[in-house]
């Protein structure tokens, strides 16, 4: 698989400098459990940094929404192969974090 082919299913990132390894992020406004918790006063999700980041950085917002959309329209075995390919390629220190933005769909 080539990188350009893999990222058509969603992009694994090395851009989160707060943690080692690679990450995979989706739109925080699509969080299923987080969307419920965002309405609960005092919860972590009520003060979600990723939702705030999406509001102030349009390019981040677009990237997270693209990852969500690509997952939704991908054939699941192609999506898995694309994620495995990217994680193996980028997570050279052995770390990968799912959903540094977003939650389990
Ligand atoms: S991204 Fe995390 S903190 Fe933000 S709403 Fe979703 S689950 Fe909650």
């Amino acid at each position: 698989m080539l990188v350009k082919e893999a990222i058509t299913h969603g992009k694994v990132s090395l851009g989160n400098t707060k943690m080692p390894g690679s990450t995979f992020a989706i739109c925080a406004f699509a969080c299923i459990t987080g969307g419920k918790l965002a309405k609960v006063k005092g919860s972590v999700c009520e003060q979600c940094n990723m939702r705030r980041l999406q509001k102030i950085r349009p390019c981040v917002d677009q990237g997270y929404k693209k990852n969500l959309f690509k997952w939704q329209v991908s054939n699941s075995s192609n999506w898995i192969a694309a994620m495995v390919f990217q994680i193996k390629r980028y997570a050279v220190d052995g770390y990968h974090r799912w959903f540094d933005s977003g939650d389990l769909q």
Side-chain angles (χ1 to χ4, degrees), residues 38 45 57 62 76 82 91 98 104:
C45 299
R57 302 264 311 266
Q62 287 171 9
S76 62
W98 292 107
L104 192 62

Side-chain angles (χ1 to χ4, degrees), residues 45-98:
C45 299
E46 185 201 23
Q47 299 172 15
C48 176
N49 284 332
M50 303 319 275
R51 287 180 174 212
R52 195 174 312 136
L53 183 62
Q54 283 185 249
K55 286 179 186 172
I56 62 173
R57 302 264 311 266
C59 61
V60 172
D61 182 59
Q62 287 171 9
Y64 292 177
K65 285 177 177 167
K66 272 188 195 170
N67 269 355
L68 177 63
F69 176 74
K70 288 176 179 177
W71 166 74
Q72 288 170 329
V73 300
S74 276
N75 167 294
S76 62
S77 58
N78 290 345
W79 184 86
I80 291 166
M83 294 298 114
V84 168
F85 171 81
Q86 291 179 77
I87 291 167
K88 282 184 173 176
R89 183 179 175 93
Y90 298 130
V92 289
D93 54 7
Y95 292 98
H96 175 76
R97 178 173 171 175
W98 292 107

Side-chain angles (χ1 to χ4, degrees), residues 26-38 43-51 54 97 99-104:
I26 60 171
C27 177
F29 292 96
C31 289
I32 295 174
T33 302
K36 294 173 189 165
L37 290 173
S43 71
V44 171
C45 299
E46 185 201 23
Q47 299 172 15
C48 176
N49 284 332
M50 303 319 275
R51 287 180 174 212
Q54 283 185 249
R97 178 173 171 175
F99 308 119
D100 54 327
S101 171
D103 71 3
L104 192 62

